[in-house]
Amino acid sequence: MAESEEYYDYLFKLVLIGDSGVGKSNLLSRFTRNEFLYESKSTIGVEFATRNLKMEGKTVKAQIWDTAGQERYRAITSAYYRGAVGALLVFDITKRATYDNVDRWLKELREHADPDIAIMLVGNKTDQPHLRGVSTAEAQQKAREAKLSYFETSALSGDNVEASFTELVKEIYSIASRAQIDVAGSSWVPTQFRPDHAESVPLGGPAKPASNGGCC
Amino acid sequence: MPNEQSAVNTDSCVIENTSIKTFGTEVPVSGRLSIEKLGNGLWHFIWDSYTVINSKNVDKIYDDEAEFDKDLSFSIPFSQIKRLMRRMPVNAKSFLVLTLTNPLVMYGRTVGPVYFDDGGLPELFRFLINLNAIQLLSPDMFILTQTDAAPARTPDPLASIYKDVPAKPANLPNRPKKEPYYRLVRRISPQKFTEDELKQMAIEESMDGSRVTTAFIESNLMDSRGVVAFEELRANLRHRSSAPDATAFSLEMLLGIFPKDSTAADREDIRGTDKCRYLRYKQQVLSFDPEQLKNFSTLEEHMQRVEKDAVRADRDNEFYADQPDTPEILIGGMRCHNPNILKVYHIVCAHLMLNMDLGYAQGMTDFITPVLELTDGDEARTFWIFAALMRRYGDNFGLGERNTIQRRLEEVWRLTAIVHPELAAVLRDRDCKALYFSYRWLLLLFKREMADYRSVLRLWEVVLSCRETQHFDIVMAVAHINSCLHDYVAQVTSPDEVTDEYLLQASSSWPTIDVRELAFNANMILATIHDSLNEDFLAPRKRRIGDR
């Protein structure tokens, strides 16, 4: 575990955005630690967690940032879009208002994030179908129009959580492996995330883990 | 005037024109205090008296007149100093107390504690800290740990026993060990208590007579009309925790809910009026019908945010956890199974009627939950403590120009650069000046960093009872950085591990704060940066003509 955490070929910074209370923090804890906290509190400031994924034999470290949903905190959180290559825009399928705000969040992404950021729309809380206020078809329609992929998840049951994150990472991976051929200096792998044993960022080809690797 | 930029003289520290009082004489003796290395290479406290003591200021005990013409000058090596205390009494000048291992005998009398007036005490402490010779015992008590400034390393007593044992067990491959990249030397070493010590302190603190109880306040700090000796109460709370039965009242006094000179009857009146006001605000906010709210979208939005946060406020605490026997309570569009959650909701919503400009922002419920539990569910009382906390800290949640959190973070940064210049230099070099991890500390007054409500309330009490600064929370943040962030940066093996992201990640694994330890270390820092404090940093910034 420790070993796989330390060595990676790519590092992708992803951000979770969406209204407060839609379940961003629990999606993150479900994906990175397979945990769901019934007692989770509102997120203050910024938190993050990481998880490594395998893509075509390469290790991708997903570094996922979780931000406070409330508008008032966006000023301070906007710095966190820096270097982000993917975003999960989450709404709560049982709360219509959180879906209505999706456009506001897209606007914010356009303003603060890299124009090439990969965005996935996520309708969370499918474990409460009896309270559903947004239909799947409707959300799919919106996603199509905005050229986003769409997933419905339940952080509580774990349904589709793995699939949605993996899909987003896969999407970024395929863009990144294309981009590394022609875009020098792109933000796909922010230099500050470079592992200290890597010679270079994988713009001209993924860096190789140190050959004498293995820490303990 | 000393200023923070000036290089500190490392050879000696001299305070001219100070005075001491000792062995019962009421006349302060003026003189010159210095810390110097004497011929034998040991650091000494040296006192050169300007005046000569004579029979007028010393009781006559010797027949020999000549004895009295001696002046009071002395020099004491550090090794003979048992402890140093810096006392900062209420409404009086602070002073230093020297207690010696072997009492100094002069004129056949034991010289007790030596009292120095507060002439240049901050410089003196800064000097001692630079010598790395000081260690804190309690917020105002210090001991000198080194008799010599040179890093006198005592030889390892076990060295000879182990000298034939290979440094590494032979069966492990001899891998190159990564060295820490930065060599950071702290000017102020934080005191770290062991678990046992902390336990012991907690036990001592919970003993009767050690805490500020209601009975203590009533019998010692109140006159016959119930007027509280406010400064004394404050001084007490600074150093001793209030007992649970006195915490709410202490907060009310410290926050100015009751005027300092209020009598018991005044306070009863205020409590009555405040209760009515609270009920009115609550009534107002709950009286909006759905159509009104629909057309008052600002209020509706705020109330919906409160709903979301109320139902998830501290559900891990028994007081707010779902109660299986409680029927479902509807709060707007949310559900809960605990009437205390409904109270939290009512308090925040009523506050919207007191300060709609501030509105509701995520995290505000964190200021309510410990207090509501403390008052055993007293809504009105909790409301006014919350309102007073918001008057003081609400602008941290404020919108746009009104938001003060950024300036507070800048102040943390400025003070960190004074307290730990080496660490600050690394952070500056690595462009890590945002200190994102301390954002939550300041926004919620460390509420989320503490293990339980008791500690949270104690920390708030310490912050509110600080006399020297209105912003002791910032000093605490600096202390925490000096302790935890130093530890992290001092062990990284590459500068690449010092980024805002890595620091934030590291901060998530820092241990829960112990309030005694943090207060202790913050007090030590406060004593040294005393004259670098800037109380006005929150004042609106003046624009000069020509500024862009």
PDB file of all heavy atoms in Angstrom, chain A residues 20 38 40 42-43 47-48 65 70 72-73 76 80 215, chain B residues 175 305 308 315 358 360 362 397 436 439-440 448 501 505:
ATOM      1  N   SER A  20     -23.601  23.116  -1.381  1.00  0.00           N
ATOM      2  CA  SER A  20     -23.298  22.472  -0.108  1.00  0.00           C
ATOM      3  C   SER A  20     -24.349  21.410   0.196  1.00  0.00           C
ATOM      4  O   SER A  20     -25.517  21.536  -0.183  1.00  0.00           O
ATOM      5  CB  SER A  20     -23.232  23.498   1.021  1.00  0.00           C
ATOM      6  OG  SER A  20     -24.515  23.967   1.302  1.00  0.00           O
ATOM      7  N   TYR A  38     -21.817   8.981   8.333  1.00  0.00           N
ATOM      8  CA  TYR A  38     -23.155   9.523   8.566  1.00  0.00           C
ATOM      9  C   TYR A  38     -23.060  10.878   9.269  1.00  0.00           C
ATOM     10  O   TYR A  38     -23.919  11.712   9.139  1.00  0.00           O
ATOM     11  CB  TYR A  38     -23.984   8.558   9.420  1.00  0.00           C
ATOM     12  CG  TYR A  38     -24.520   7.401   8.634  1.00  0.00           C
ATOM     13  CD1 TYR A  38     -23.816   6.208   8.546  1.00  0.00           C
ATOM     14  CD2 TYR A  38     -25.729   7.503   7.951  1.00  0.00           C
ATOM     15  CE1 TYR A  38     -24.295   5.148   7.818  1.00  0.00           C
ATOM     16  CE2 TYR A  38     -26.217   6.446   7.210  1.00  0.00           C
ATOM     17  CZ  TYR A  38     -25.501   5.264   7.148  1.00  0.00           C
ATOM     18  OH  TYR A  38     -25.980   4.213   6.413  1.00  0.00           O
ATOM     19  N   SER A  40     -20.855  13.269   8.897  1.00  0.00           N
ATOM     20  CA  SER A  40     -19.942  14.233   8.289  1.00  0.00           C
ATOM     21  C   SER A  40     -20.430  15.655   8.519  1.00  0.00           C
ATOM     22  O   SER A  40     -21.623  15.916   8.599  1.00  0.00           O
ATOM     23  CB  SER A  40     -19.797  13.964   6.799  1.00  0.00           C
ATOM     24  OG  SER A  40     -21.025  14.178   6.160  1.00  0.00           O
ATOM     25  N   SER A  42     -20.010  19.999   7.621  1.00  0.00           N
ATOM     26  CA  SER A  42     -19.776  20.850   6.464  1.00  0.00           C
ATOM     27  C   SER A  42     -18.269  21.059   6.313  1.00  0.00           C
ATOM     28  O   SER A  42     -17.540  21.136   7.295  1.00  0.00           O
ATOM     29  CB  SER A  42     -20.479  22.191   6.648  1.00  0.00           C
ATOM     30  OG  SER A  42     -19.973  22.839   7.797  1.00  0.00           O
ATOM     31  N   THR A  43     -17.826  21.119   5.072  1.00  0.00           N
ATOM     32  CA  THR A  43     -16.395  21.303   4.826  1.00  0.00           C
ATOM     33  C   THR A  43     -16.049  22.774   4.994  1.00  0.00           C
ATOM     34  O   THR A  43     -16.741  23.641   4.480  1.00  0.00           O
ATOM     35  CB  THR A  43     -16.046  20.856   3.392  1.00  0.00           C
ATOM     36  OG1 THR A  43     -16.522  19.530   3.220  1.00  0.00           O
ATOM     37  CG2 THR A  43     -14.555  20.901   3.149  1.00  0.00           C
ATOM     38  N   GLU A  47     -10.122  20.501   1.691  1.00  0.00           N
ATOM     39  CA  GLU A  47      -9.516  19.243   2.126  1.00  0.00           C
ATOM     40  C   GLU A  47      -9.198  18.428   0.889  1.00  0.00           C
ATOM     41  O   GLU A  47      -9.756  18.691  -0.175  1.00  0.00           O
ATOM     42  CB  GLU A  47     -10.502  18.485   3.036  1.00  0.00           C
ATOM     43  CG  GLU A  47     -10.701  19.202   4.359  1.00  0.00           C
ATOM     44  CD  GLU A  47     -11.855  18.655   5.184  1.00  0.00           C
ATOM     45  OE1 GLU A  47     -12.368  17.582   4.835  1.00  0.00           O
ATOM     46  OE2 GLU A  47     -12.224  19.318   6.157  1.00  0.00           O
ATOM     47  N   PHE A  48      -8.335  17.488   1.030  1.00  0.00           N
ATOM     48  CA  PHE A  48      -8.154  16.606  -0.122  1.00  0.00           C
ATOM     49  C   PHE A  48      -7.694  15.226   0.284  1.00  0.00           C
ATOM     50  O   PHE A  48      -7.266  14.986   1.400  1.00  0.00           O
ATOM     51  CB  PHE A  48      -7.247  17.237  -1.182  1.00  0.00           C
ATOM     52  CG  PHE A  48      -5.774  17.143  -0.906  1.00  0.00           C
ATOM     53  CD1 PHE A  48      -5.086  15.968  -1.154  1.00  0.00           C
ATOM     54  CD2 PHE A  48      -5.092  18.235  -0.435  1.00  0.00           C
ATOM     55  CE1 PHE A  48      -3.727  15.889  -0.917  1.00  0.00           C
ATOM     56  CE2 PHE A  48      -3.734  18.164  -0.192  1.00  0.00           C
ATOM     57  CZ  PHE A  48      -3.047  16.990  -0.428  1.00  0.00           C
ATOM     58  N   TRP A  65      -9.579  17.241  -4.642  1.00  0.00           N
ATOM     59  CA  TRP A  65      -9.800  18.351  -3.723  1.00  0.00           C
ATOM     60  C   TRP A  65     -11.284  18.527  -3.455  1.00  0.00           C
ATOM     61  O   TRP A  65     -12.103  18.469  -4.365  1.00  0.00           O
ATOM     62  CB  TRP A  65      -9.234  19.643  -4.321  1.00  0.00           C
ATOM     63  CG  TRP A  65      -7.760  19.614  -4.415  1.00  0.00           C
ATOM     64  CD1 TRP A  65      -7.014  18.983  -5.374  1.00  0.00           C
ATOM     65  CD2 TRP A  65      -6.842  20.193  -3.500  1.00  0.00           C
ATOM     66  NE1 TRP A  65      -5.683  19.149  -5.109  1.00  0.00           N
ATOM     67  CE2 TRP A  65      -5.542  19.898  -3.983  1.00  0.00           C
ATOM     68  CE3 TRP A  65      -6.981  20.948  -2.339  1.00  0.00           C
ATOM     69  CZ2 TRP A  65      -4.402  20.318  -3.318  1.00  0.00           C
ATOM     70  CZ3 TRP A  65      -5.837  21.375  -1.691  1.00  0.00           C
ATOM     71  CH2 TRP A  65      -4.562  21.059  -2.177  1.00  0.00           C
ATOM     72  N   GLN A  70     -20.476  26.451  -0.275  1.00  0.00           N
ATOM     73  CA  GLN A  70     -21.183  27.720  -0.227  1.00  0.00           C
ATOM     74  C   GLN A  70     -20.485  28.817  -1.016  1.00  0.00           C
ATOM     75  O   GLN A  70     -19.273  28.952  -1.000  1.00  0.00           O
ATOM     76  CB  GLN A  70     -21.360  28.188   1.216  1.00  0.00           C
ATOM     77  CG  GLN A  70     -22.446  29.235   1.315  1.00  0.00           C
ATOM     78  CD  GLN A  70     -22.581  29.797   2.711  1.00  0.00           C
ATOM     79  OE1 GLN A  70     -22.451  29.070   3.682  1.00  0.00           O
ATOM     80  NE2 GLN A  70     -22.824  31.079   2.784  1.00  0.00           N
ATOM     81  N   ARG A  72     -20.079  31.842  -0.631  1.00  0.00           N
ATOM     82  CA  ARG A  72     -19.241  32.814   0.062  1.00  0.00           C
ATOM     83  C   ARG A  72     -17.780  32.399   0.114  1.00  0.00           C
ATOM     84  O   ARG A  72     -16.896  33.206   0.222  1.00  0.00           O
ATOM     85  CB  ARG A  72     -19.782  32.991   1.477  1.00  0.00           C
ATOM     86  CG  ARG A  72     -19.207  34.167   2.184  1.00  0.00           C
ATOM     87  CD  ARG A  72     -19.921  34.436   3.470  1.00  0.00           C
ATOM     88  NE  ARG A  72     -21.355  34.605   3.321  1.00  0.00           N
ATOM     89  CZ  ARG A  72     -22.083  35.392   4.119  1.00  0.00           C
ATOM     90  NH1 ARG A  72     -21.504  36.076   5.048  1.00  0.00           N
ATOM     91  NH2 ARG A  72     -23.382  35.478   3.961  1.00  0.00           N
ATOM     92  N   TYR A  73     -17.544  31.110   0.065  1.00  0.00           N
ATOM     93  CA  TYR A  73     -16.167  30.656   0.203  1.00  0.00           C
ATOM     94  C   TYR A  73     -15.455  30.528  -1.127  1.00  0.00           C
ATOM     95  O   TYR A  73     -14.316  30.144  -1.189  1.00  0.00           O
ATOM     96  CB  TYR A  73     -16.140  29.310   0.929  1.00  0.00           C
ATOM     97  CG  TYR A  73     -16.589  29.437   2.336  1.00  0.00           C
ATOM     98  CD1 TYR A  73     -17.744  28.824   2.775  1.00  0.00           C
ATOM     99  CD2 TYR A  73     -15.871  30.222   3.227  1.00  0.00           C
ATOM    100  CE1 TYR A  73     -18.176  28.965   4.077  1.00  0.00           C
ATOM    101  CE2 TYR A  73     -16.294  30.377   4.526  1.00  0.00           C
ATOM    102  CZ  TYR A  73     -17.445  29.744   4.942  1.00  0.00           C
ATOM    103  OH  TYR A  73     -17.861  29.898   6.226  1.00  0.00           O
ATOM    104  N   ILE A  76     -12.003  32.199  -1.712  1.00  0.00           N
ATOM    105  CA  ILE A  76     -10.805  31.570  -1.173  1.00  0.00           C
ATOM    106  C   ILE A  76     -10.526  30.237  -1.860  1.00  0.00           C
ATOM    107  O   ILE A  76      -9.392  29.819  -2.000  1.00  0.00           O
ATOM    108  CB  ILE A  76     -10.911  31.400   0.363  1.00  0.00           C
ATOM    109  CG1 ILE A  76      -9.531  31.508   0.996  1.00  0.00           C
ATOM    110  CG2 ILE A  76     -11.557  30.109   0.763  1.00  0.00           C
ATOM    111  CD1 ILE A  76      -9.475  32.540   2.085  1.00  0.00           C
ATOM    112  N   TYR A  80      -7.894  26.995  -5.733  1.00  0.00           N
ATOM    113  CA  TYR A  80      -7.743  25.548  -5.825  1.00  0.00           C
ATOM    114  C   TYR A  80      -8.056  24.990  -7.199  1.00  0.00           C
ATOM    115  O   TYR A  80      -7.803  23.833  -7.461  1.00  0.00           O
ATOM    116  CB  TYR A  80      -8.590  24.870  -4.751  1.00  0.00           C
ATOM    117  CG  TYR A  80      -7.963  25.115  -3.416  1.00  0.00           C
ATOM    118  CD1 TYR A  80      -8.306  26.234  -2.680  1.00  0.00           C
ATOM    119  CD2 TYR A  80      -6.961  24.285  -2.939  1.00  0.00           C
ATOM    120  CE1 TYR A  80      -7.694  26.503  -1.483  1.00  0.00           C
ATOM    121  CE2 TYR A  80      -6.333  24.540  -1.750  1.00  0.00           C
ATOM    122  CZ  TYR A  80      -6.703  25.650  -1.012  1.00  0.00           C
ATOM    123  OH  TYR A  80      -6.090  25.931   0.163  1.00  0.00           O
ATOM    124  N   CYS A 215      10.140   1.354  -0.658  1.00  0.00           N
ATOM    125  CA  CYS A 215      10.671   2.112   0.477  1.00  0.00           C
ATOM    126  C   CYS A 215      10.915   1.226   1.678  1.00  0.00           C
ATOM    127  O   CYS A 215      11.943   1.312   2.319  1.00  0.00           O
ATOM    128  CB  CYS A 215       9.755   3.277   0.826  1.00  0.00           C
ATOM    129  SG  CYS A 215       8.089   2.772   1.186  1.00  0.00           S
TER     130      CYS A 215
ATOM    131  N   ARG B 175      20.978   0.753   2.856  1.00  0.00           N
ATOM    132  CA  ARG B 175      20.396   1.687   1.885  1.00  0.00           C
ATOM    133  C   ARG B 175      20.796   3.117   2.227  1.00  0.00           C
ATOM    134  O   ARG B 175      20.896   3.467   3.394  1.00  0.00           O
ATOM    135  CB  ARG B 175      18.879   1.580   1.911  1.00  0.00           C
ATOM    136  CG  ARG B 175      18.366   0.619   0.871  1.00  0.00           C
ATOM    137  CD  ARG B 175      16.894   0.879   0.630  1.00  0.00           C
ATOM    138  NE  ARG B 175      16.117  -0.241   1.117  1.00  0.00           N
ATOM    139  CZ  ARG B 175      15.216  -0.143   2.064  1.00  0.00           C
ATOM    140  NH1 ARG B 175      15.007   1.017   2.654  1.00  0.00           N
ATOM    141  NH2 ARG B 175      14.529  -1.174   2.441  1.00  0.00           N
ATOM    142  N   ARG B 305     -29.666  27.155   3.641  1.00  0.00           N
ATOM    143  CA  ARG B 305     -28.296  26.801   4.017  1.00  0.00           C
ATOM    144  C   ARG B 305     -28.237  26.399   5.489  1.00  0.00           C
ATOM    145  O   ARG B 305     -27.523  25.474   5.867  1.00  0.00           O
ATOM    146  CB  ARG B 305     -27.369  27.984   3.812  1.00  0.00           C
ATOM    147  CG  ARG B 305     -26.877  28.086   2.416  1.00  0.00           C
ATOM    148  CD  ARG B 305     -25.852  29.191   2.350  1.00  0.00           C
ATOM    149  NE  ARG B 305     -25.975  29.836   1.062  1.00  0.00           N
ATOM    150  CZ  ARG B 305     -25.917  31.140   0.871  1.00  0.00           C
ATOM    151  NH1 ARG B 305     -25.753  31.950   1.901  1.00  0.00           N
ATOM    152  NH2 ARG B 305     -26.027  31.627  -0.328  1.00  0.00           N
ATOM    153  N   LYS B 308     -29.461  22.864   5.958  1.00  0.00           N
ATOM    154  CA  LYS B 308     -28.468  21.855   5.572  1.00  0.00           C
ATOM    155  C   LYS B 308     -27.399  21.685   6.629  1.00  0.00           C
ATOM    156  O   LYS B 308     -26.905  20.585   6.858  1.00  0.00           O
ATOM    157  CB  LYS B 308     -27.794  22.274   4.259  1.00  0.00           C
ATOM    158  CG  LYS B 308     -28.637  21.989   3.039  1.00  0.00           C
ATOM    159  CD  LYS B 308     -27.890  22.448   1.821  1.00  0.00           C
ATOM    160  CE  LYS B 308     -28.746  22.329   0.566  1.00  0.00           C
ATOM    161  NZ  LYS B 308     -28.118  23.027  -0.566  1.00  0.00           N
ATOM    162  N   ARG B 315     -23.151  15.789  14.580  1.00  0.00           N
ATOM    163  CA  ARG B 315     -23.961  14.586  14.821  1.00  0.00           C
ATOM    164  C   ARG B 315     -23.181  13.504  15.546  1.00  0.00           C
ATOM    165  O   ARG B 315     -23.747  12.537  16.028  1.00  0.00           O
ATOM    166  CB  ARG B 315     -24.454  14.025  13.476  1.00  0.00           C
ATOM    167  CG  ARG B 315     -25.508  14.873  12.846  1.00  0.00           C
ATOM    168  CD  ARG B 315     -25.855  14.346  11.477  1.00  0.00           C
ATOM    169  NE  ARG B 315     -24.800  14.597  10.516  1.00  0.00           N
ATOM    170  CZ  ARG B 315     -24.922  14.398   9.214  1.00  0.00           C
ATOM    171  NH1 ARG B 315     -26.051  13.919   8.732  1.00  0.00           N
ATOM    172  NH2 ARG B 315     -23.936  14.658   8.384  1.00  0.00           N
ATOM    173  N   LEU B 358     -24.823  40.084   7.527  1.00  0.00           N
ATOM    174  CA  LEU B 358     -23.836  39.017   7.671  1.00  0.00           C
ATOM    175  C   LEU B 358     -24.408  37.719   7.113  1.00  0.00           C
ATOM    176  O   LEU B 358     -23.737  36.983   6.416  1.00  0.00           O
ATOM    177  CB  LEU B 358     -23.455  38.841   9.148  1.00  0.00           C
ATOM    178  CG  LEU B 358     -22.421  37.769   9.462  1.00  0.00           C
ATOM    179  CD1 LEU B 358     -21.099  38.089   8.766  1.00  0.00           C
ATOM    180  CD2 LEU B 358     -22.209  37.651  10.960  1.00  0.00           C
ATOM    181  N   TYR B 360     -25.992  33.903   6.846  1.00  0.00           N
ATOM    182  CA  TYR B 360     -25.468  32.650   7.360  1.00  0.00           C
ATOM    183  C   TYR B 360     -24.347  32.171   6.459  1.00  0.00           C
ATOM    184  O   TYR B 360     -24.455  32.198   5.245  1.00  0.00           O
ATOM    185  CB  TYR B 360     -26.542  31.563   7.441  1.00  0.00           C
ATOM    186  CG  TYR B 360     -25.925  30.261   7.900  1.00  0.00           C
ATOM    187  CD1 TYR B 360     -25.575  30.083   9.239  1.00  0.00           C
ATOM    188  CD2 TYR B 360     -25.606  29.258   6.995  1.00  0.00           C
ATOM    189  CE1 TYR B 360     -24.932  28.932   9.657  1.00  0.00           C
ATOM    190  CE2 TYR B 360     -24.964  28.102   7.410  1.00  0.00           C
ATOM    191  CZ  TYR B 360     -24.632  27.949   8.739  1.00  0.00           C
ATOM    192  OH  TYR B 360     -23.979  26.824   9.158  1.00  0.00           O
ATOM    193  N   GLN B 362     -21.373  28.902   6.089  1.00  0.00           N
ATOM    194  CA  GLN B 362     -21.003  27.584   6.588  1.00  0.00           C
ATOM    195  C   GLN B 362     -19.989  27.678   7.701  1.00  0.00           C
ATOM    196  O   GLN B 362     -19.019  28.417   7.593  1.00  0.00           O
ATOM    197  CB  GLN B 362     -20.416  26.769   5.442  1.00  0.00           C
ATOM    198  CG  GLN B 362     -21.392  25.766   4.899  1.00  0.00           C
ATOM    199  CD  GLN B 362     -20.852  25.043   3.696  1.00  0.00           C
ATOM    200  OE1 GLN B 362     -19.653  24.773   3.596  1.00  0.00           O
ATOM    201  NE2 GLN B 362     -21.729  24.737   2.762  1.00  0.00           N
ATOM    202  N   PHE B 397     -16.437  35.690   8.362  1.00  0.00           N
ATOM    203  CA  PHE B 397     -17.341  35.038   7.419  1.00  0.00           C
ATOM    204  C   PHE B 397     -17.868  36.053   6.406  1.00  0.00           C
ATOM    205  O   PHE B 397     -18.664  35.717   5.559  1.00  0.00           O
ATOM    206  CB  PHE B 397     -18.560  34.458   8.145  1.00  0.00           C
ATOM    207  CG  PHE B 397     -18.262  33.358   9.111  1.00  0.00           C
ATOM    208  CD1 PHE B 397     -18.075  33.606  10.451  1.00  0.00           C
ATOM    209  CD2 PHE B 397     -18.205  32.042   8.674  1.00  0.00           C
ATOM    210  CE1 PHE B 397     -17.837  32.590  11.352  1.00  0.00           C
ATOM    211  CE2 PHE B 397     -17.966  31.010   9.574  1.00  0.00           C
ATOM    212  CZ  PHE B 397     -17.775  31.287  10.909  1.00  0.00           C
ATOM    213  N   TYR B 436      -3.076  27.929   3.938  1.00  0.00           N
ATOM    214  CA  TYR B 436      -4.469  27.501   3.821  1.00  0.00           C
ATOM    215  C   TYR B 436      -4.935  26.668   5.004  1.00  0.00           C
ATOM    216  O   TYR B 436      -6.079  26.721   5.401  1.00  0.00           O
ATOM    217  CB  TYR B 436      -4.669  26.675   2.547  1.00  0.00           C
ATOM    218  CG  TYR B 436      -4.533  27.466   1.284  1.00  0.00           C
ATOM    219  CD1 TYR B 436      -3.607  27.112   0.322  1.00  0.00           C
ATOM    220  CD2 TYR B 436      -5.340  28.574   1.052  1.00  0.00           C
ATOM    221  CE1 TYR B 436      -3.469  27.846  -0.848  1.00  0.00           C
ATOM    222  CE2 TYR B 436      -5.211  29.308  -0.104  1.00  0.00           C
ATOM    223  CZ  TYR B 436      -4.275  28.937  -1.053  1.00  0.00           C
ATOM    224  OH  TYR B 436      -4.154  29.668  -2.190  1.00  0.00           O
ATOM    225  N   TYR B 439      -6.576  28.400   7.839  1.00  0.00           N
ATOM    226  CA  TYR B 439      -7.835  29.082   7.544  1.00  0.00           C
ATOM    227  C   TYR B 439      -8.952  28.627   8.484  1.00  0.00           C
ATOM    228  O   TYR B 439      -9.649  29.420   9.089  1.00  0.00           O
ATOM    229  CB  TYR B 439      -8.180  28.776   6.083  1.00  0.00           C
ATOM    230  CG  TYR B 439      -9.483  29.316   5.601  1.00  0.00           C
ATOM    231  CD1 TYR B 439      -9.596  30.646   5.201  1.00  0.00           C
ATOM    232  CD2 TYR B 439     -10.600  28.495   5.502  1.00  0.00           C
ATOM    233  CE1 TYR B 439     -10.791  31.136   4.739  1.00  0.00           C
ATOM    234  CE2 TYR B 439     -11.796  28.980   5.036  1.00  0.00           C
ATOM    235  CZ  TYR B 439     -11.899  30.299   4.655  1.00  0.00           C
ATOM    236  OH  TYR B 439     -13.088  30.772   4.199  1.00  0.00           O
ATOM    237  N   ARG B 440      -9.082  27.318   8.620  1.00  0.00           N
ATOM    238  CA  ARG B 440     -10.152  26.781   9.463  1.00  0.00           C
ATOM    239  C   ARG B 440      -9.914  27.086  10.941  1.00  0.00           C
ATOM    240  O   ARG B 440     -10.856  27.307  11.688  1.00  0.00           O
ATOM    241  CB  ARG B 440     -10.270  25.271   9.234  1.00  0.00           C
ATOM    242  CG  ARG B 440     -11.523  24.678   9.815  1.00  0.00           C
ATOM    243  CD  ARG B 440     -11.734  23.273   9.372  1.00  0.00           C
ATOM    244  NE  ARG B 440     -10.819  22.359  10.036  1.00  0.00           N
ATOM    245  CZ  ARG B 440     -10.721  21.062   9.736  1.00  0.00           C
ATOM    246  NH1 ARG B 440     -11.463  20.554   8.778  1.00  0.00           N
ATOM    247  NH2 ARG B 440      -9.894  20.305  10.385  1.00  0.00           N
ATOM    248  N   ARG B 448     -12.836  22.959  15.312  1.00  0.00           N
ATOM    249  CA  ARG B 448     -12.734  21.621  14.720  1.00  0.00           C
ATOM    250  C   ARG B 448     -11.420  20.921  15.062  1.00  0.00           C
ATOM    251  O   ARG B 448     -11.230  19.773  14.718  1.00  0.00           O
ATOM    252  CB  ARG B 448     -12.841  21.720  13.190  1.00  0.00           C
ATOM    253  CG  ARG B 448     -14.161  22.266  12.685  1.00  0.00           C
ATOM    254  CD  ARG B 448     -15.077  21.170  12.207  1.00  0.00           C
ATOM    255  NE  ARG B 448     -16.320  21.710  11.695  1.00  0.00           N
ATOM    256  CZ  ARG B 448     -16.696  21.667  10.419  1.00  0.00           C
ATOM    257  NH1 ARG B 448     -15.910  21.111   9.527  1.00  0.00           N
ATOM    258  NH2 ARG B 448     -17.846  22.176  10.057  1.00  0.00           N
ATOM    259  N   GLU B 501       0.019  22.478  -1.295  1.00  0.00           N
ATOM    260  CA  GLU B 501      -0.725  21.224  -1.299  1.00  0.00           C
ATOM    261  C   GLU B 501      -0.162  20.239  -0.268  1.00  0.00           C
ATOM    262  O   GLU B 501      -0.904  19.641   0.502  1.00  0.00           O
ATOM    263  CB  GLU B 501      -0.680  20.590  -2.694  1.00  0.00           C
ATOM    264  CG  GLU B 501      -1.538  21.283  -3.730  1.00  0.00           C
ATOM    265  CD  GLU B 501      -0.899  22.544  -4.311  1.00  0.00           C
ATOM    266  OE1 GLU B 501       0.270  22.850  -3.954  1.00  0.00           O
ATOM    267  OE2 GLU B 501      -1.558  23.238  -5.102  1.00  0.00           O
ATOM    268  N   GLN B 505      -1.858  18.777   3.139  1.00  0.00           N
ATOM    269  CA  GLN B 505      -1.963  17.339   3.379  1.00  0.00           C
ATOM    270  C   GLN B 505      -1.341  16.977   4.726  1.00  0.00           C
ATOM    271  O   GLN B 505      -1.915  16.237   5.510  1.00  0.00           O
ATOM    272  CB  GLN B 505      -1.252  16.583   2.259  1.00  0.00           C
ATOM    273  CG  GLN B 505      -1.449  15.086   2.349  1.00  0.00           C
ATOM    274  CD  GLN B 505      -1.027  14.400   1.061  1.00  0.00           C
ATOM    275  OE1 GLN B 505      -0.012  14.749   0.459  1.00  0.00           O
ATOM    276  NE2 GLN B 505      -1.798  13.426   0.637  1.00  0.00           N
TER     277      GLN B 505
END
